[in-house]
């Protein structure tokens, strides 16, 4: 079965600094990959997704992610972090038919003023 | 357009009591999911419905958990009796279909505390 590892439990960055959140997946075939964000007391909101094609994916709120098959990675990036980006970020991998989406344990982002 | 609606938002019960959660998916979404999110973890799928049919309930603890989706719209997830380890956030999500490229939209969740 597919699985996801997010190596960083908690990351702190200064406002305006760049951000990279790591995600490694395990899946035998071409994966469907997602990044979700969860603010306190809120549900998960989709930031971006990758199915095929261009390996650099643009999402909402200025986020992007790059799929690297050779490294089994799908890292999330943002060039300049805003205080409102403080939240929990989840990477997920799914099969083609989406009936078994597996989430990582999440990375909590703290933004320093 | 309204998103996925869940109620209640919070629930505190004593162990061995029953509890139920309700979910109203986005209008027109055929596929509905129930997830459990333990503290410090990502969501884990409990059950997936396509219309009114439960097509994947392999992770649902059937001795105490049950779910239904009458008429293929709203859904209810029940726990009876609740145990201390059931304390978690229960998330409902919906998507147009269950194909891989369909985005799942999540509700705000129900936070359950079992004392």
């Amino acid at each position: 079965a597919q699985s996801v590892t997010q190596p960083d439990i908690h990351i702190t960055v200064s406002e305006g600094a760049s951000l990279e959140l790591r995600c490694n997946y395990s899946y035998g075939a071409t994966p469907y990959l997602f990044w979700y964000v969860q603010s306190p007391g809120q549900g998960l909101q989709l930031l971006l997704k990758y199915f095929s094609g261009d390996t650099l994916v643009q999402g909402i709120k200025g986020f992007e992610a790059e799929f690297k098959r050779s490294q089994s990675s799908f890292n999330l990036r943002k060039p300049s972090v805003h205080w409102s980006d403080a939240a929990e970020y989840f990477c997920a991998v799914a099969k083609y038919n989406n009936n078994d989406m597996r989430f990582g344990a999440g990375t909590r982002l703290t933004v320093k003023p | 357009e309204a998103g996925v609606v869940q109620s209640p938002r919070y629930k505190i019960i004593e162990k061995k009591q029953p509890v139920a959660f309700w979910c109203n998916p986005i209008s027109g979404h055929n596929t509905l999911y129930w997830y459990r999110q333990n503290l410090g973890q990502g969501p884990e799928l409990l059950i997936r419905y396509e219309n009114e049919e439960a097509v994947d309930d392999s992770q649902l603890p059937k001795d105490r958990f049950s779910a239904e989706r009458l008429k293929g719209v709203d859904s209810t997830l029940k726990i009876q009796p609740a145990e201390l380890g059931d304390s978690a956030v229960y998330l409902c999500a919906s998507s147009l279909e269950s194909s891989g490229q369909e985005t799942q939209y999540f509700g705000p969740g129900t936070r359950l505390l079992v004392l």
Side-chain angles (χ1 to χ4, degrees):
Chain A
Q2 68 274 35
S3 64
V4 173
T5 301
Q6 293 181 247
D8 304 304
I9 296 174
H10 184 204
I11 284 182
T12 300
V13 299
S14 298
E15 189 168 17
S18 63
L19 171 70
E20 182 170 26
L21 301 182
R22 296 184 291 164
C23 171
N24 293 100
Y25 69 89
S26 173
Y27 185 51
T30 299
Y32 288 175
L33 296 161
F34 307 79
W35 274 101
Y36 283 86
V37 61
Q38 186 177 36
S39 298
Q42 302 296 315
L44 281 75
Q45 180 184 24
L46 181 70
L47 288 175
L48 47 78
K49 57 187 178 183
Y50 170 79
F51 296 140
S52 64
D54 192 347
T55 56
L56 186 61
V57 181
Q58 301 298 319
I60 63 172
K61 304 184 179 185
F63 286 93
E64 67 177 26
E66 186 171 12
F67 171 59
K68 293 185 177 180
R69 183 186 300 276
S70 61
Q71 299 177 19
S72 297
S73 68
F74 188 57
N75 294 349
L76 182 71
R77 299 194 294 251
K78 187 170 184 177
S80 178
V81 171
H82 187 263
W83 64 267
S84 61
D85 293 325
E88 189 92 18
Y89 291 79
F90 293 94
C91 181
V93 60
K95 300 177 182 178
Y96 74 97
N97 57 357
N98 204 23
N99 68 351
D100 190 5
M101 180 179 285
R102 301 295 177 92
F103 287 83
T107 296
R108 184 161 61 93
L109 174 65
T110 298
V111 181
K112 294 190 302 184
Chain B
E1 178 180 322
V4 176
V5 179
Q6 292 188 247
S7 69
R9 292 294 309 275
Y10 305 93
K11 189 74 176 179
I12 301 175
I13 61 172
E14 294 186 346
K15 63 181 181 181
K16 301 185 181 180
Q17 295 300 307
V19 64
F21 315 125
W22 175 80
C23 173
N24 179 244
I26 293 173
S27 178
H29 281 195
N30 295 328
T31 307
L32 184 145
Y33 312 76
W34 281 104
Y35 289 87
R36 177 168 59 189
Q37 185 177 18
N38 293 313
L39 187 64
Q41 299 295 318
E44 296 177 325
L45 182 70
L46 291 173
I47 188 168
R48 176 175 67 91
Y49 281 93
E50 289 182 11
N51 297 305
E52 64 274 11
E53 181 183 0
V55 295
D56 183 358
D57 62 356
S58 58
Q59 301 304 310
L60 189 72
K62 299 181 182 62
D63 57 335
R64 298 183 298 107
F65 286 65
S66 64
E68 61 182 11
R69 191 185 184 197
L70 301 177
K71 301 181 181 179
V73 182
D74 295 0
S75 178
T76 301
L77 178 68
K78 299 178 181 178
I79 308 175
Q80 183 171 8
E83 297 179 351
L84 296 177
D86 296 330
S87 295
V89 176
Y90 291 83
L91 295 166
C92 179
S94 70
S95 62
L96 275 173
E97 298 175 347
S98 61
S99 64
Q101 298 190 19
E102 290 293 340
T103 297
Q104 294 187 29
Y105 295 88
F106 284 80
T110 296
R111 186 175 297 273
L112 173 67
L113 179 60
V114 182
L115 301 176

